[in-house]
Amino acid sequence: MTETSQTVPDRIGPDAWTKVQNMPWTARLELRRRVAWPLVRAQFAWHGVAWGADWKIFGRPTIQRHRGSRIALGDGLTLRSWPRSNPLALTAPVVLSTRRADAVLEIGEDCGFTGTTLVARSATACWWTGMPRSSTSIFTR
């Protein structure tokens, strides 16, 4: 992981231009994501959640981290909280929540969530590489 990947959104390359040509609605969405990026980064830092590499966050998720608990999110994470960020019927933002000091919410690499609620109470909620979820609520006891 380089310092650049931690502090600057991914660069626009030839693949991005091809994507915009094929799906023009993504240009506005990508611009909005990049403008919101500093606020989203600040939100994660405020809640004590370490920022990973190659994240794509569309809209601010709701983060509720109990003091002493841990939220660990893997590289390549995609969170979609804006209604127009996904053709699925998104009705709520992504929620990441820990309810007790011993709770651990852990998400592996290359995962994507759209309008999903993940709540860890005292057990560990783990998602491993490449397990996308959409409009789902997951609670642990």
Side-chain angles (χ1 to χ4, degrees):
M1 185 176 347
T2 66
E3 180 63 28
T4 304
S5 67
Q6 292 179 352
T7 59
V8 179
D10 49 342
R11 304 265 183 233
I12 295 177
D15 293 335
W17 290 118
T18 302
K19 181 179 179 181
V20 168
Q21 289 173 341
N22 292 332
M23 301 182 302
W25 64 89
T26 62
R28 176 184 240 172
L29 183 63
E30 186 64 17
L31 179 61
R32 185 176 177 201
R33 181 180 79 87
R34 289 170 187 269
V35 168
W37 181 78
L39 183 59
V40 172
R41 279 295 300 264
Q43 178 190 16
F44 277 81
W46 176 263
H47 290 285
V49 179
W51 191 266
D54 302 322
W55 281 13
K56 290 193 175 182
I57 311 295
F58 296 89
R60 288 184 16 206
T62 300
I63 302 173
Q64 300 173 338
R65 189 182 69 82
H66 191 289
R67 191 182 323 232
S69 69
R70 187 169 68 93
I71 298 177
L73 308 172
D75 294 342
L77 178 72
T78 300
L79 300 179
R80 294 179 180 269
S81 294
W82 286 328
R84 293 185 181 192
S85 66
N86 196 314
L88 299 173
L90 176 61
T91 58
V94 171
V95 176
L96 305 172
S97 179
T98 55
R99 309 311 291 171
R100 293 188 179 171
D102 62 340
V104 177
L105 179 62
E106 184 177 327
I107 299 172
E109 294 181 348
D110 299 321
C111 291
F113 299 91
T114 299
T116 302
T117 301
L118 299 169
V119 180
R121 187 167 178 185
S122 61
T124 302
C126 293
W127 295 95
W128 302 109
T129 302
M131 292 189 64
R133 297 281 185 234
S134 63
S135 300
T136 304
S137 296
I138 309 293
F139 302 92
T140 64
R141 291 188 160 207

